[in-house]
Structure formats: C-alpha cells, structure tokens
Amino acid sequence: MLIQGFNNLLWLLSLAMLVFAGFAFIDSAIRRGDAYRAADKQSKPFWLIILGLATLVNVLFGVMAFLPILGLIATIVYMVDVRPALKRVSGGKGPRRGGSSSDGPYGPWNGGR
C-alpha cells in the first residue's frame, strides 16, 4: 500500500515535470528569434534544443534519474530568467499581437464614458 502510494507520487511528479518542460518548449518555439538577441539571451535554436531535450528526457526516464533533474533546472532557468526578459522586450504581449481584450474594432472600449 505504501509503495503504491509512493509510485503514484513519483508518477504525478514525473507528469508535472513533463508538462512544465513541454510548456516551456512550446513557449520558446512561439517567441520571435530576434527577441532573444534583443534580451541578450542565448539564441532561439539553443533554447529549443535544450528544452526539447528536457522534454524528451522526461518522457524516456523516470523522475529519480539524473537527466530529468538537469532538464528541470534548464526549464526553471528559462521560465524565471529568459521568458520574463522576452516578454519585456516584446512589450509583454508574448506571441500574440494586437491590443487588449477590451479593444473594439475602432479602438479601446471605455464602457460608454
């Protein structure tokens, strides 16, 4: 009973690490390449390779192996250092272009004021 619960916990942790690495990989793929240079970070292909390998390692190995821990570290570095810098350079809008969600076809909607 105890071992089954521990295995379930490891499986959930492994799944969380896979989702985290997958999100970071997709986020790095949809960012513009020139934003990486403007933010003075490594290039887009570099981060795609690193985060792609982190995702692949999470699929192939269990959470108790050494390589998924390295992938987790790389993913955390991307999420707390590179991604905010890319958002700052891109104007905070990310991959989406346009105005805010309250903008109408002719400009911002101010609620009739």
Side-chain angles (χ1 to χ4, degrees):
M1 180 71 117
L2 186 61
I3 292 175
Q4 182 63 31
F6 184 68
N7 284 338
N8 288 341
L9 178 68
L10 288 180
W11 183 82
L12 286 174
L13 187 59
S14 179
L15 181 64
M17 286 172 53
L18 175 64
V19 169
F20 189 49
F23 174 79
F25 177 75
I26 292 170
D27 185 73
S28 69
I30 60 177
R31 301 282 174 187
R32 293 181 25 199
D34 59 344
Y36 289 86
R37 289 187 303 276
D40 197 27
K41 300 297 177 189
Q42 293 289 335
S43 66
K44 181 176 182 172
F46 173 83
W47 282 108
L48 286 174
I49 290 169
I50 294 295
L51 295 172
L53 286 173
T55 305
L56 180 67
V57 163
N58 280 318
V59 169
L60 296 178
F61 298 103
V63 72
M64 295 302 285
F66 183 66
L67 290 176
I69 303 302
L70 292 177
L72 178 64
I73 292 170
T75 305
I76 290 171
V77 167
Y78 176 81
M79 293 297 286
V80 301
D81 182 38
V82 178
R83 187 171 185 251
L86 295 176
K87 283 181 138 184
R88 201 169 27 254
V89 168
S90 300
K93 292 185 177 76
R96 201 170 30 136
R97 297 290 177 245
S100 75
S101 62
S102 65
D103 283 357
Y106 305 110
W109 185 71
N110 61 8
R113 289 183 246 154

